[in-house]
Amino acid sequence: MFFQFNENETLPGALSCYHKYTSNDLLYSTSPIDNTLLARVSCINAEQYEKFVQIAQENFLKWRNIPAPQRGIFVKRFGQEVQNKKGELAQLITLEMGKPIRESLGEVQEIIDICDFAVGLSRQLYGLTIQSERPEHKMIENWHPLGLVGIITAFNFPMAVWAWNSTISWVCGNVNIWKPSEKTPLCALALHKIVSNLVREMNLPDISFVFTGDYKIGEQLSLDKRIQLISATGSTRMGRQVARNVASRLGKYLLELGGNNAIIITESADFNLVIPSVVFGAIGTAGQRCTSTRRLIIQESIYERVKEALVHAYKQVKIGDPNDEQYHYGPLIDENAVILYEKSIQSAVFHGGKLLYGGKRIESSELKSKNYVLPTLIEVEKDNPIVQEETFAPILYLLKYKTIQEAIEINNQVAQGLSSAIMTLNLRESELFTSQNGSDCGIANINIGTSGAEIGGAFGGEKDTGGGRESGSDSWKNYMRRQTTTINYGINLPLAQGIKFEI
């Protein structure tokens, strides 16, 4: 496969991937499918960090002077290369992260789609012309590249989230430094290899760098004044630290953090849509999406019907090797994730929750690791403290409501504010849900689930989710700096606000 690396192979702007190495400064990439050691990856050291940041600064001065449509040509070529290697990249995601191959193919398609979006964007990085209060004056708004953009990504989407940021950042004229999750370094190196080969072929400067290592690399980037923007995806705890570090130097940050997402099921809901939406939202990627459905808020008159249908559906879920398309999901990322799954269930039950289905690991000789767990349904009251927590696992909490206003209150009662949904055929309910009195999340869906987003819409959430927006719409403005210019084309010098100054 193209993503196999030779021993001691060096990629420009990235650390090498080793299968034999004696240093202690290593990441161990292990497949959650069977705990096989895939590779040892060397971590960046202080000398290498400084060298690469300096190179990135120098290359930015070259890259920003290439017209944006030409930068878009590079992104177009990159998207074509990803398309050509779609199957192999998807296999690597499944191998290193453990998500089903169908979902991995979808993740790679996200990269291809965002490349298309960014290529079009490269010809419309528009500003404004603003009416001036002074005669024979006009104001215009210019947008310029930021410089160096640091991208910190999580394990659950080890390729796509970087692409959301990097492709738009590239057409805006920036150079990117990527700190991937220490759990999925090979996914980062594979994409970096495509970028490295392409910049050589097109005679361009290195515009992408990969810094492998643990959380300390992210801390270093967030404290480095030379990094104009930090875009970080991960837990709320991590995001708070990034925000503190970047704010301490008055830098810019874009945060896409935790999600504790809910679907409201109303009396008028189309039942043909309800169960598929809920089940995929709750168990897709083994519940390891930031948009995974974690709470189900059900109108009390249909509660028993929904509960019975869900238990029946969960009994049909197939769990196994994610390379086999017959299975709905595979393993959790590692043993720590399984322990958190178990502790969350124990907490929910301890505080009065009722276990309806699942709640344990799968013990089977056919599975080659202990990272596989049953999808879990738990009946809880809205004051159960567990509903405030985001657990990256296939656990769904069921709650009752009486009125639509109460349902919206339950939806909004958690600290996170990423994705939300309502299943209803009632126009008043759907309009209320998306009004200023409705969901307080960055995403509010109607008659679809919480999970899965198209690249055309800005992605992100409010409250403890961080307030950032990645991907579509006008999110490109995060990767540029705004400059207001006033032009006097007359022969007089009037001042704003009618101020008189004579000399």
Side-chain angles (χ1 to χ4, degrees):
M1 293 183 180
F2 86 98
F3 54 73
Q4 290 180 334
F5 299 94
N6 298 322
E7 185 179 345
N8 298 334
E9 177 181 4
T10 299
L11 297 175
L15 275 296
S16 306
C17 175
Y18 295 91
H19 289 280
K20 297 178 183 177
Y21 198 71
T22 56
S23 170
N24 292 324
D25 297 323
L26 294 171
L27 295 178
Y28 292 82
S29 175
T30 303
S31 175
I33 298 172
D34 55 10
N35 289 333
T36 298
L37 177 63
L38 303 176
R40 303 177 182 90
V41 179
S42 59
C43 300
I44 195 167
N45 59 36
E47 181 181 351
Q48 292 165 326
Y49 178 96
E50 188 61 30
K51 171 188 173 183
F52 285 138
V53 171
Q54 288 182 6
I55 294 173
Q57 284 185 301
E58 295 168 2
N59 290 354
F60 164 66
L61 302 180
K62 304 171 186 175
W63 181 243
R64 70 179 179 182
N65 286 324
I66 296 174
Q70 292 185 31
R71 299 194 292 257
I73 291 173
F74 167 79
V75 174
K76 181 178 181 179
R77 289 285 310 280
F78 173 70
Q80 291 169 342
E81 290 298 312
V82 171
Q83 176 71 68
N84 293 338
K85 298 174 173 65
K86 181 177 179 179
E88 293 171 290
L89 289 168
Q91 289 173 36
L92 179 56
I93 293 172
T94 294
L95 182 66
E96 191 171 37
M97 185 267 157
K99 68 171 62 174
I101 188 64
R102 289 173 293 184
E103 293 186 36
S104 296
L105 288 165
E107 176 168 352
V108 180
Q109 186 62 47
E110 283 193 56
I111 303 174
I112 298 164
D113 292 345
I114 196 62
C115 285
D116 287 345
F117 181 91
V119 171
L121 185 65
S122 69
R123 291 186 178 271
Q124 52 180 344
L125 297 172
Y126 52 84
L128 299 173
T129 300
I130 305 167
Q131 294 296 316
S132 173
E133 68 184 58
R134 290 169 282 185
E136 298 184 314
H137 282 60
K138 71 174 181 180
M139 292 187 290
I140 60 174
E141 191 175 79
N142 294 313
W143 291 87
H144 300 299
L146 281 175
L148 304 188
V149 172
I151 303 170
I152 301 172
T153 59
F155 74 86
N156 58 332
F157 279 83
M159 294 188 183
V161 172
W162 167 80
W164 289 358
N165 287 274
S166 62
T167 54
I168 295 178
S169 179
W170 280 331
V171 299
C172 289
N174 303 311
V175 170
N176 303 319
I177 296 175
W178 183 11
K179 191 279 171 190
S181 168
E182 55 267 37
K183 298 178 182 180
T184 52
L186 298 185
C187 287
L189 291 174
L191 284 179
H192 186 73
K193 190 168 186 177
I194 296 175
V195 175
S196 297
N197 291 340
L198 196 55
V199 295
R200 296 295 170 269
E201 180 184 333
M202 298 179 69
N203 195 30
L204 294 171
D206 288 321
I207 54 174
S208 183
F209 297 79
V210 174
F211 289 1
T212 48
D214 62 14
Y215 71 95
K216 295 177 183 177
I217 302 300
E219 287 186 348
Q220 192 169 0
L221 287 169
S222 64
L223 289 167
D224 193 331
K225 289 184 176 182
R226 295 168 295 182
I227 313 299
Q228 277 69 34
L229 170 70
I230 293 289
S231 178
T233 301
S235 68
T236 297
R237 179 186 57 79
M238 178 275 289
R240 291 186 194 281
Q241 187 59 53
V242 168
R244 282 192 289 266
N245 290 343
V246 178
S248 71
R249 58 180 177 86
L250 299 181
K252 300 176 184 292
Y253 56 80
L254 190 166
L255 303 176
E256 198 280 284
L257 309 175
N260 191 354
N261 316 295
I263 300 178
I264 297 172
I265 310 296
T266 72
E267 287 180 291
S268 70
D270 183 340
F271 231 70
N272 292 324
L273 302 178
V274 168
I275 301 304
S277 297
V278 172
V279 175
F280 176 73
I283 73 167
T285 323
Q288 297 174 117
R289 292 182 175 217
C290 52
T291 55
S292 291
T293 307
R294 312 213 179 275
R295 297 173 296 141
L296 196 62
I297 306 166
I298 310 166
Q299 213 287 326
E300 61 181 8
S301 66
I302 59 170
Y303 182 84
E304 292 300 325
R305 179 187 176 193
V306 173
K307 180 174 74 173
E308 181 181 343
L310 278 174
V311 171
H312 176 75
Y314 269 46
K315 290 178 179 178
Q316 315 307 312
V317 173
K318 297 178 181 178
I319 304 121
D321 185 342
N323 290 293
D324 189 334
E325 292 195 9
Q326 71 169 306
Y327 295 114
H328 294 100
Y329 72 83
L332 295 181
I333 187 65
D334 56 23
E335 173 69 14
N336 288 334
V338 176
I339 292 172
L340 183 57
Y341 160 87
E342 293 173 331
K343 287 183 176 180
S344 297
I345 294 168
Q346 292 167 4
S347 175
V349 174
F350 177 79
H351 289 97
K354 179 181 178 182
L355 182 64
L356 302 175
Y357 183 82
K360 61 183 179 181
R361 300 187 195 219
I362 301 174
E363 301 291 342
S364 171
S365 59
E366 296 179 3
L367 301 177
K368 298 178 181 178
S369 80
K370 295 183 178 181
N371 299 329
Y372 297 82
V373 300
L374 285 173
T376 300
L377 297 169
I378 305 179
E379 196 172 53
V380 298
E381 299 294 331
K382 63 182 180 181
D383 59 352
N384 192 312
I386 195 62
V387 300
Q388 296 292 328
E389 303 295 327
E390 178 195 32
T391 305
F392 250 44
I395 304 174
L396 182 63
Y397 304 112
L398 277 60
L399 305 98
K400 295 179 184 178
Y401 79 88
K402 295 180 183 294
T403 67
I404 188 63
Q405 288 79 11
E406 181 189 7
I408 292 172
E409 288 174 5
I410 295 172
N411 177 81
N412 296 348
Q413 75 175 4
V414 299
Q416 307 86 352
L418 179 53
S419 187
S420 59
I422 187 169
M423 309 298 287
T424 181
L425 298 180
N426 184 306
L427 178 63
R428 290 178 176 174
E429 290 177 336
S430 64
E431 289 298 306
L432 177 62
F433 185 70
T434 58
S435 75
Q436 69 272 16
N437 298 316
S439 169
D440 62 3
C441 298
I443 299 169
N445 294 331
I446 300 171
N447 292 328
I448 62 171
T450 61
S451 189
E454 298 181 35
I455 56 87
F459 180 87
E462 302 302 321
K463 302 189 295 187
D464 277 7
T465 302
R469 292 298 186 275
E470 299 172 319
S471 191
S473 186
D474 64 349
S475 62
W476 61 269
K477 294 178 180 179
N478 290 310
Y479 304 90
M480 303 194 83
R481 59 182 177 87
R482 190 194 314 244
Q483 182 181 80
T484 301
T485 299
T486 304
I487 301 170
N488 179 0
Y489 56 89
I491 60 174
N492 297 310
L493 190 64
L495 300 179
Q497 292 83 48
I499 295 174
K500 302 295 183 182
F501 182 81
E502 298 179 359
I503 188 169

